[in-house]
Amino acid sequence: MVEFLQHTGVRIEEMLEDSHHSLIQYRLPTTGEIVPLLHIAPSKTDEERVILASPELADVLSAIIARIRDPRTGAVPYVSSYDMAEKSWNPQMPLLFQWCRSGESSRLSPKLLREALQEVLASTNLTDSAGQPLDFSPHDFRRIFITDAIRSGLPPHIAQVIAGHTSINTTMGYNAIYPGEAIEAHRAFIARRRTLRPSEEYRTPTNEEWDALLGHFERRELSIGICARAFGTPCIHEHACIRCSMLRPDPDQRHRLVEIRDNLIARITEAEQEGWLGEIEGLQVSLASAEEKLIQLDTEQVRQRQVINLGMPSFSQIATGISTARGPSSETSFIHADDLHHPDPGHGPRSTGGGPASECRGNHARTLGHGATEQL
């Protein structure tokens, strides 16, 4: 059973439905060579499939058939099997996984195979990395089969067909990826990518190039914030930073933005009075950008102020039973220290914040707004 599952990767219900008729021959159209195939009956996905019988699997199948043959006739006995999914009896078939009990052949059950697997594991005294006895199920050999196949170079979509998965995501979920393999695969990917890219991209940077890179970050500092444009990209607004979406305004420089906005408003008023219509449009664009930056700063400050205060108590507050937590009504409620020693439900705690009384049975508790009680 173990070798069959290891070399096929089939589900246990598929293994138990394999029969002598599942072995078929296929002649290659190119060379005329005959290769053995194993037909897998529909199970979970209701789709049948065939897999190539490797030499190791062929040896296992021949050993199974030789063991179950009737010594008098040399034929594989026909046995009945019950389909748990369909709730019906299947026609008699020369099943491969059968056993003779009291002179009568019958199919092996999944429960019996799982118990036999656990007995074998217990006899080996093998343990895992934590020192615990190994715990294997028949389905674990399906995962081992898919992992070994993909690690050996089999494309995942071919492994999907062999395993009978409807989605390749399921197949990749069975594939175990180890950290060492991920690192080596990434290094190999980088090496392959470097061979495809011009070699001059991987040369040692010159002093001038280093100076240009460092100078870029130095020039990001502005009077009202930071320029977030990428290295090597030109300024799309010709250093009119107030209009640029790449400007990240500094909250500490908000007063400068206010001065710029007020100055723009005064200049627009002057241009309207003097009839400088050519300047009004450009000044209005800059004014809209300045107001947008101010709104951006105000929105961020409002968001930060809306952070919920968890009311984490200090040690002195824990000792006296006082809570600093605030409920939705912004009122603070607490349990007096004396009330912590009265488990009697009839002796309710005193509340000074308008919160309802809360029973205390030996546990430190604090009453929040709207009757919510938090255990300390």
Side-chain angles (χ1 to χ4, degrees), residues 27-72:
R27 185 183 299 275
L28 297 176
T30 54
T31 62
E33 179 184 0
I34 296 178
V35 294
L37 300 177
L38 181 65
H39 176 263
I40 306 299
S43 62
K44 185 175 181 180
T45 59
D46 290 334
E47 292 183 3
E48 60 182 358
R49 64 187 190 278
V50 292
I51 60 176
L52 178 66
S54 62
E56 295 81 7
L57 177 58
D59 291 340
V60 173
L61 294 173
S62 62
I64 293 174
I65 295 173
R67 187 175 302 168
I68 64 176
R69 284 186 187 275
D70 190 330
R72 296 168 298 179

Side-chain angles (χ1 to χ4, degrees), residues 262-291:
D262 295 343
N263 179 264
L264 288 170
I265 294 176
R267 291 176 61 186
I268 291 174
T269 303
E270 181 185 7
E272 291 175 347
Q273 294 175 352
E274 299 294 338
W276 301 332
L277 302 181
E279 291 188 8
I280 294 177
E281 183 178 357
L283 292 173
Q284 289 176 340
V285 172
S286 299
L287 176 60
S289 299
E291 292 177 342

Side-chain angles (χ1 to χ4, degrees), residues 11 52 70 90 101 141 149 171 191 202 213 251 254 262 264 268 272 275 318 344 350-351 375:
R11 305 176 180 91
L52 178 66
D70 190 330
N90 296 325
R101 180 176 53 180
F141 293 99
T171 306
Y202 297 96
L213 177 64
R254 189 182 187 280
D262 295 343
L264 288 170
I268 291 174
E272 291 175 347
I318 294 176
D344 185 5
R350 295 186 295 272
S351 174
Q375 299 294 331

Side-chain angles (χ1 to χ4, degrees), residues 188-199 202:
F189 165 75
I190 293 176
R192 291 193 303 269
R193 186 180 63 180
R194 285 192 171 187
T195 59
L196 300 177
R197 298 180 68 89
S199 58
Y202 297 96

Side-chain angles (χ1 to χ4, degrees), residues 16 29 45 74 94 131 138 199 207 211 336 372:
L16 294 178
T45 59
S199 58
N207 293 334
D211 293 340
H336 195 273

Side-chain angles (χ1 to χ4, degrees), residues 335-350 357-365:
I335 293 178
H336 195 273
D338 295 339
D339 295 327
L340 297 176
H341 304 290
H342 296 280
D344 185 5
H347 187 88
R350 295 186 295 272
S358 173
E359 295 184 3
C360 177
R361 298 184 177 272
N363 295 326
H364 295 292

Side-chain angles (χ1 to χ4, degrees), residues 249-315:
D250 185 357
D252 294 337
Q253 305 300 327
R254 189 182 187 280
H255 65 282
R256 291 182 179 272
L257 280 172
V258 173
E259 293 177 0
I260 293 174
R261 181 198 60 186
D262 295 343
N263 179 264
L264 288 170
I265 294 176
R267 291 176 61 186
I268 291 174
T269 303
E270 181 185 7
E272 291 175 347
Q273 294 175 352
E274 299 294 338
W276 301 332
L277 302 181
E279 291 188 8
I280 294 177
E281 183 178 357
L283 292 173
Q284 289 176 340
V285 172
S286 299
L287 176 60
S289 299
E291 292 177 342
E292 180 182 354
K293 297 295 188 298
L294 287 171
I295 293 174
Q296 180 180 346
L297 286 177
D298 295 340
T299 302
E300 180 64 20
Q301 291 178 358
V302 171
R303 186 189 67 82
Q304 292 179 358
R305 286 197 298 265
Q306 289 177 345
V307 175
I308 298 175
N309 179 17
L310 297 179
M312 298 301 291
S314 63
F315 178 79

